[in-house]
Amino acid sequence: MTARTAREEILADIKRALHREGKLDPVRGVASTSTQLGDLVSEIRRTCELRRAELVRQFEAELTRIGGRFHRAAKVESAFEYIEQVASVREARTVVAWDGQIIDGIDLSGRLGEKGIELLTEATSSEFIRRTATADLGVSGVDYALADTGTLVLLARKGQARSISLLPPVHIAVMKPEQVLSGLSDLFPLLRGKAEAEGRDLSSAITFITGPSRTADIELTLVVGVHGPQQLHVVLLDC
């Protein structure tokens, strides 16, 4: 598949997903009425639940194909140990992370502190953006993951700055199996449904992450990590 073809397919998926007509989209179906949207959201959730194991396998395959690294944690302790291992290999001294508990039951700040690693969040640092630019690792959760492309979807909100996944040379994302969707045609109806339920417009502050950062010059020489993380690690909390 050429880059142009892939781009056209992605744009077509977005166009279908954002369809605003009164009838349902023929591919997945995005409705303009609240009732239709609610039915569609229920259908998507039911289908993804039935296909959960398949979607997780597909996500893992696509993520590793594009250069990402995947770790399945059967216990929360295994998830922390993986983060600790990556930090140790990188000789990390500073980690930036989302506010709140990224791994349930694990005090990430305290545990990393025992290893001499400082963990910063928006809530704990008044110079968060500046410190993020020089941090060794960024650790975040995810809002959704797309199985068909191995893509992570992060919604920016207070305590969940986009810079965490963009500025440090290594990004570790922690996710759960129920966050995996088949693709964009599942994602946008869920985003619209959530926005309507909260009485707000669909947010434009959405980050799509597909593998480590890649940049090509005019001679098509590919370089990893110039405009974003050199490494992307995804930890699946399968517990």
Side-chain angles (χ1 to χ4, degrees):
M1 179 183 295
T2 66
R4 181 178 179 82
T5 301
R7 177 178 180 274
E8 290 173 347
E9 287 194 359
I10 290 172
L11 291 176
D13 280 345
I14 294 174
K15 183 177 180 180
R16 286 193 293 266
L18 292 176
H19 191 56
R20 290 292 197 268
E21 301 297 329
K23 59 184 179 180
L24 294 179
D25 178 88
V27 174
R28 178 47 123 158
V30 178
S32 62
T33 69
S34 295
T35 300
Q36 288 176 316
L37 181 59
D39 290 344
L40 179 58
V41 167
S42 296
E43 177 197 341
I44 290 171
R45 287 174 174 163
R46 182 170 56 252
T47 301
C48 287
E49 180 60 33
L50 290 173
R51 299 181 57 206
R52 184 69 61 215
E54 173 195 346
L55 291 176
V56 169
R57 286 195 299 270
Q58 183 183 12
F59 174 84
E60 178 182 1
E62 290 299 318
L63 176 73
T64 54
R65 183 180 66 81
I66 56 180
R69 308 181 190 192
F70 185 87
H71 175 72
R72 186 186 296 262
K75 298 180 180 179
V76 294
E77 189 64 29
S78 172
F80 171 74
E81 289 172 354
Y82 184 83
I83 294 173
E84 180 187 23
Q85 178 185 12
V86 174
S88 176
V89 169
R90 299 290 300 189
E91 298 182 345
R93 289 293 173 262
T94 305
V95 174
V96 290
W98 280 9
D99 288 349
Q101 276 199 331
I102 297 175
I103 305 173
D104 291 340
I106 294 290
D107 175 14
L108 197 58
S109 178
R111 296 287 294 275
L112 289 177
E114 293 173 0
K115 306 296 180 180
I117 301 171
E118 181 183 23
L119 186 138
L120 302 174
T121 68
E122 284 187 277
T124 62
S125 175
S126 59
E127 298 184 323
F128 184 74
I129 297 299
R130 183 181 67 81
R131 296 294 302 275
T132 299
T134 59
D136 301 300
L137 250 70
V139 181
S140 76
V142 308
D143 290 282
Y144 301 98
L146 309 182
D148 59 354
T149 55
T151 298
L152 301 176
V153 182
L154 281 64
L155 307 180
R157 56 176 71 92
K158 185 175 178 58
Q160 299 181 11
R162 284 193 269 191
S163 56
I164 293 169
S165 64
L166 299 175
L167 296 183
V170 177
H171 176 209
I172 302 176
V174 180
M175 69 179 222
K176 299 177 180 179
E178 57 267 27
Q179 293 174 309
V180 183
L181 310 175
S182 64
L184 283 171
S185 57
D186 282 354
L187 173 66
F188 281 100
L190 292 182
L191 292 179
R192 283 188 60 202
K194 184 176 178 61
E196 286 195 7
E198 296 175 355
R200 57 174 175 79
D201 293 330
L202 183 64
S203 173
S204 61
I206 304 173
T207 301
F208 293 88
I209 301 171
T210 306
S213 169
R214 286 175 167 79
T215 303
D217 61 18
I218 195 170
E219 296 181 351
L220 300 182
T221 301
L222 189 65
V223 181
V224 176
V226 175
H227 298 296
Q230 301 164 1
Q231 294 181 11
L232 172 63
H233 300 254
V234 175
V235 178
L236 178 73
L237 288 175
D238 195 13
C239 52

